[in-house]
Amino acid sequence: MRHLFYLFLLLPFLTFAQINPQDVEIVRDNFGVPHIFGKTDADVAYGLAWAHAEDDFKTIQQGYLAGNALLGKHIGTKGAGADFISQFIGSKEIIEKEYDQKISPEYKKIAEAYAQAINKYASTHPQEVLEDDLFPLTPKMMLRYAQLQLLITFI
C-alpha cells in the first residue's frame, strides 16, 4: 500500500495529456455493454479503460504484470515463465529505444488516456490492486505487454 501512496503523489506530475472525466460518458445497455462517448478519441480511450477496469480489473493487471516481468512477484513461480519471456524478448529495451521516434503523437495521446483511467481506477479502488509496483501504469508499460501478446499470438 505504500506504493499507492506514492502513486497519489505522482499522478499530478505525470506528463500525460490529462483527460477531464467530465467529458467522458459511459452508458451501459440492458446487457451491460458499455457505450462510450467523448469529445476526443483520447476521451473515449479513457472511458474504455474505465469500463474495462469496472468489468475485470484483475485480468487487466495480470496482463500488465506479465508484460512487465512482475507476474512472478504476484503469483510466485507460476509467473516466472511469463517474466522470463518478457525479459528475454527485450521489451523494456525496445520500447525505451523506439517509443519517442516510432509511436505517433496521436497514438500516445490515446495510450496516455487509457493509462490515466487505469491509474485513476487503481487509486480509487486500492483494495483491488494486485501489486503496487505496477502503478502508475504508463503507455510504455502497456506496450511491453502488447509486445508479449504479439509474441504469444504468433507462437
Side-chain angles (χ1 to χ4, degrees):
M1 292 306 280
R2 183 182 82 229
H3 290 96
L4 278 179
F5 172 75
Y6 294 121
L7 169 66
F8 298 131
L9 292 177
L10 287 174
L11 280 176
F13 301 103
L14 295 176
T15 60
F16 297 166
Q18 294 294 306
I19 298 299
N20 180 355
Q22 301 299 324
D23 293 336
V24 179
E25 183 178 9
I26 303 170
V27 179
R28 291 191 181 261
D29 64 23
N30 293 336
F31 298 102
V33 175
H35 300 269
I36 302 157
F37 304 92
K39 294 179 180 179
T40 66
D41 290 343
D43 291 340
V44 174
Y46 183 99
L48 180 63
W50 191 271
H52 283 165
E54 286 179 333
D55 292 343
D56 196 357
F57 191 49
K58 181 180 179 181
T59 300
I60 292 169
Q61 291 177 85
Q62 288 171 333
Y64 289 133
L65 286 167
N68 289 278
L70 293 168
L71 190 59
K73 183 174 182 181
H74 176 61
I75 63 172
T77 56
K78 290 181 181 178
D83 290 352
F84 172 78
I85 293 170
S86 291
Q87 292 174 2
F88 181 75
I89 63 177
S91 297
K92 186 172 186 175
E93 294 78 13
I94 292 168
I95 300 302
E96 285 299 321
K97 180 181 175 190
E98 306 290 336
Y99 185 80
D100 290 332
Q101 299 86 11
K102 295 196 176 178
I103 305 298
S104 73
E106 297 81 14
Y107 185 85
K108 286 177 186 174
K109 287 179 187 176
I110 291 169
E112 289 167 359
Y114 194 97
Q116 181 184 338
I118 295 296
N119 289 329
K120 180 67 174 179
Y121 189 90
S123 70
T124 57
H125 298 84
Q127 72 283 2
E128 294 182 45
V129 171
L130 301 178
E131 285 295 331
D132 292 343
D133 288 347
L134 184 61
F135 298 97
L137 187 68
T138 67
K140 289 180 182 179
M141 294 168 74
M142 293 166 46
L143 287 171
R144 289 181 210 144
Y145 169 62
Q147 186 175 14
L148 176 64
Q149 280 294 2
L150 283 171
L151 176 74
I152 292 169
T153 301
F154 290 107
I155 290 181

